[in-house]
């Protein structure tokens, strides 16, 4: 906000920000209402965005996010290159489990999911590609938070910790202990924190400087699953991605032992 009022760019962002997973398609009046802009201003801005391809108008008269934005989003380096490197390993993990396999990155106090593989028989999950969830309540989020800088950790620990189920870790001191365990063990089991029907096993992905830049997880039914049996496969997939990205830590395991370990983990 400037002294003379919102800029054109800020108004455009407000229009785009009106769209959510719960509101993927809206009429002009709905966009006006959710963006807080006058209908005449919304009409003009929506017309410009649609002309450029950022919005598309369907046969029902409602507007949706256009493919032009998807094209731009695919250029994000943390998404595109990481997904290209990760896909073979995510695919192996999916073939080993036939459940939901996810890859997420840190964005503020949330995890943003950049890839997911899921089959028809996999347990339903709330996450989606491009969606975000709080760090403290998901497997990938806990991994990312455990390796985040101190200030971010304290921000999350000091803020309200949203409770999704009776199993959600919403006590700061308990969360602090969980994060310490993640760093010590190299993985985390997030048990029914988002939904009472699912649990996840997650592990860190490291880059050439050994910094944790992403996390992957497999989400499985909570009923009848021993998550400890999934830990070797999840860690092997994360290690494979890290090794491809040039992580010295991932490459430290002797070659023959590494290959045998990775094969065994996916059996």
């Amino acid at each position: 906000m400037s002294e003379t009022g919102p800029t054109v760019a800020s108004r455009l962002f407000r229009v785009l920000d009106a769209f959510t997973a719960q509101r993927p398609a809206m009429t002009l009046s709905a966009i006006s209402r959710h963006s807080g802009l006058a209908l005449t201003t919304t009409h003009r801005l929506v017309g410009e965005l649609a002309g450029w391809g950022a919005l598309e108008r369907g046969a029902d008269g409602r507007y949706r996010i256009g493919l032009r934005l998807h094209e731009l989003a695919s250029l994000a380096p943390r998404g595109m290159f990481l997904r290209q490197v990760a896909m073979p390993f995510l695919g192996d993990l999916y073939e080993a489990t036939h459940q939901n396999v996810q890859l997420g990155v840190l964005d503020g106090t949330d995890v943003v999911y950049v890839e997911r593989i899921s089959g028809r028989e996999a347990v339903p999950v709330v996450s989606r590609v491009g969606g975000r969830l709080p760090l403290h309540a998901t497997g990938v989020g806990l991994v990312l938070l455990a390796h985040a800088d101190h200030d971010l950790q304290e921000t999350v620990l000091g803020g309200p910790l949203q409770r999704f189920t009776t199993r959600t870790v919403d006590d700061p001191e308990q969360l602090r202990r969980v994060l310490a365990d993640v760093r010590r063990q190299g993985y985390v089991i997030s048990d029914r924190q988002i939904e009472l029907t699912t649990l996840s096993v997650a592990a860190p992905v490291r880059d050439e400087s050994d910094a944790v830049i992403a996390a992957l997880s497999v989400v499985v039914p909570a009923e009848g699953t021993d998550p400890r049996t999934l830990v070797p496969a999840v860690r092997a997939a994360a290690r494979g991605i890290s090794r491809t990205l040039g992580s010295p830590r991932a490459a430290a395991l002797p070659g023959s032992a590494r290959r045998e370990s990775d094969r065994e983990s996916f059996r």
Side-chain angles (χ1 to χ4, degrees):
M1 178 79 73
S2 69
E3 293 181 358
T4 57
T7 64
V8 173
S10 69
R11 292 189 182 102
L12 289 170
F13 294 146
R14 284 166 66 178
V15 169
L16 294 174
D17 203 41
F19 291 86
T20 67
Q22 293 72 39
R23 299 191 302 270
M26 289 186 287
T27 62
L28 198 63
S29 60
I31 297 173
S32 172
R33 183 170 65 256
H34 289 290
S35 66
L37 297 171
L39 186 58
T40 52
T41 301
T42 303
H43 183 271
R44 175 173 57 81
L45 296 177
V46 166
E48 293 182 15
L49 289 168
W52 184 73
L55 295 178
E56 296 177 354
R57 189 171 186 266
D60 59 359
R62 297 192 296 171
Y63 290 89
R64 296 164 175 80
I65 296 296
L67 286 177
R68 190 71 179 271
L69 287 183
H70 179 73
E71 293 173 15
L72 287 177
S74 70
L75 299 177
R78 285 202 297 164
M80 181 179 64
F81 179 69
L82 181 60
R83 287 169 60 200
Q84 290 174 346
V85 171
M87 278 306 293
F89 300 96
L90 299 180
D92 285 347
L93 186 56
Y94 170 75
E95 289 301 325
T97 63
H98 293 285
Q99 289 293 337
N100 305 278
V101 177
Q102 306 180 127
L103 183 69
V105 297
L106 181 69
D107 188 43
T109 58
D110 295 330
V111 55
V112 174
Y113 294 90
V114 297
E115 189 56 81
R116 191 183 91 190
I117 303 176
S118 182
R120 288 191 298 270
E121 302 303 318
V123 62
V125 293
V126 299
S127 58
R128 61 181 179 83
V129 174
R132 60 177 64 226
L133 287 170
L135 292 171
H136 72 282
T138 67
V140 285
L142 287 169
V143 169
L144 293 169
L145 182 59
H147 296 280
D149 63 63
H150 177 76
D151 289 345
L152 178 59
Q153 290 184 10
E154 292 305 314
T155 296
V156 173
L157 288 164
L161 298 172
Q162 183 178 355
R163 190 176 178 87
F164 293 88
T165 73
T166 56
R167 306 280 300 211
T168 305
V169 177
D170 60 353
D171 175 70
E173 290 309 310
Q174 182 184 0
L175 179 57
R176 199 181 294 275
R177 291 192 294 271
V178 170
L179 298 180
D181 288 341
V182 175
R183 290 188 292 269
R184 177 175 55 83
Q185 296 174 344
Y187 70 91
V188 68
I189 296 172
S190 180
D191 187 2
R192 292 168 281 182
Q193 290 209 82
I194 289 288
E195 298 177 287
L196 290 174
T197 55
T198 63
L199 59 82
S200 69
V201 180
V205 172
R206 300 175 182 272
D207 65 7
E208 70 280 358
S209 67
D210 269 337
V212 174
I213 61 167
L216 68 81
S217 71
V218 59
V219 184
V220 299
E223 185 70 27
T225 301
D226 181 356
R228 293 169 297 180
T229 63
L230 299 168
V231 170
V234 171
R235 296 190 70 184
R239 184 171 58 244
I241 300 170
S242 301
R243 189 169 63 248
T244 304
L245 291 172
S247 164
R249 179 178 298 193
L253 188 65
S256 59
R258 182 178 63 232
R259 288 191 295 272
E260 185 61 29
S261 174
D262 288 358
R263 282 200 302 271
E264 289 295 333
S265 295
F266 285 108
R267 288 179 181 173

